Amino acid sequence: MFESLSEKQREIVFDKSGKFVVRACPGSGKTYCVSARLARLILDWKNDYVGIAAVSFTNVAWQEIEKKYSDEFKLGDRILFPHFLGTIDSFINKHIFLPYGHLILKCKNRPALVGEPHGIWTGKYFSDSLFDNISYKIDGTLYAINDRAMPNNWTTNNKIISSKKNINKGGFATQSDANYFAMRILEQFPQIAKAIALRFPYLIVDEAQDTSDIQMRIIDLLIENGLNEVMLVGDPDQAIFEWNDARPDLLNEKYNIWENSVVLNESRRSSQLICNYTYSVSSLAEISTAVSDVKDFAHQPRVIIYENNLQQVVTDFISECEQNGIIPTEESVAVIYRSKNLVNDITGIPEIPYNGSPWVTQDNYTKDFAKGKFLYDNGDFKSGFKAIEKAILKQVNNLSFCSEENIERMIDKHGFVKFKSLVYQFINLLPKTDITLGQWIIAANEALTRNNINFQLSIKNAGKGYSFNQIFLYEKEKIVDRNYRLGTVHSVKGETFEATLLILKTKGIGKAYKTILRDNISIADNEELRIAYVGITRPRKILVIAVPNQENKTAWENKLNGNN
């Protein structure tokens, strides 16, 4: 069962105990390692009501752990009770915030999670509409998730501050709020922390470089209250979620404090040429050793220049893959980019100007109807149906947010078949989304009037000429058929491809790449460098980096060839 483990992996799976960090290089098989340790522990597990908690930061990541557990170790298709496998947010929600949040919020009912990823939030008033863009720092002060979406001096605006706190008191919280309040719960009620530490005496955190200070504080509180077995697995060089409060330095601190920690520096993903080429960007003490079946693949990574020809660059890259024996599919070939507006150049779909949103703040349902119909028209029937379902309830009940509980109450009131039939009727009466948004709004309102439905949809005048492909471009990219994967670096983190084309502009956020590279700024101190590093460490066989001019090409080549 464990024959394919390397010597270092075997040490992690069988010999390590207590609190320790696994500092893992890209493609080192850390997911396999996590799955193997889970399998080893579960194989010997005797307690029916106490279990292991294994968490990561995305659904893709924890599902990959479970897939390897199932495929490689044959202990069942799922990791089941008494154990927990899921995202760190879902663990916090299920075991801390949702059952105990009322103790902090002082609300009468069980708290409800709102805003993305739990659903679209819209407020009745301007101050309410900002609720999901504001959350709490570890010290309890408020901060804006997106500063540019906030008015000037909002921190002294009593209406905005009061609105945030009153909505929280009503039992509503965003995911960021939930994490903060969960931390407060464990601080104020240590008996809850003790109970969780008893319920889950083993904690495994995958992608631990992405923990925020609040999430790490939650882990520390569990340790303070009796949790002794903690395995943190991650790579600080791949921490690319600072916008979501990720603090890779916290993992480094634990690595230095916990003497039992280890480094895993064998690449089971990439060729040795790719390992050599990407090493100088990393903080690794030594070049990763390629140990996979493609370790000797003889394709030298390189940097190329694009100008106004990104579509041709992509076409040429796909041809290069084919010439090297790679059949292009969404699973094998990735075209990834750092700046979202590059997708407009690649697809030829015009960009919507910043602050060009067509949605009216006080309208809490038009966006849901439009998005739902667009998804349904493009073959994502489940997501489209769900969006229309929530739009109906938001309109009927004048809700800022539609929860599953709201849907269940409507089904109880009208019956399952009748309510679901109503949703399908709405889907069928709304016009196709192959016209401009303005034309669609007119046609939709005419259809609503004809069917004696007593409400209308509304948008800003500036949005009338937008196409649905423009407005929901990133939703479209998830469901469009291509012979390659197209997405941001963030969207492919943790994944492996046979070939990768990484497209960069002159800068991401902050300093230009050429300045970062010329000044030898450490990857530990610069998230833009970490984002690029994640991109260039995705492929097994072929790596091509596309930059906009010769100056950037020279800067990247000097860095990647170790000349800086």
Side-chain angles (χ1 to χ4, degrees), residues 57 205 207-213 215-216 245-247 250:
F57 284 78
V205 183
E207 303 287 2
Q209 74 278 352
D210 293 329
T211 48
S212 67
D213 52 359
Q215 290 165 335
M216 191 64 84
D245 304 323
R247 288 273 308 274
L250 299 175

Side-chain angles (χ1 to χ4, degrees), residues 187-210:
E187 287 177 339
Q188 292 190 27
F189 302 94
Q191 63 270 37
I192 295 174
K194 286 183 171 67
I196 294 169
L198 286 170
R199 172 67 179 82
F200 296 104
Y202 278 78
L203 174 64
I204 298 173
V205 183
D206 179 43
E207 303 287 2
Q209 74 278 352
D210 293 329

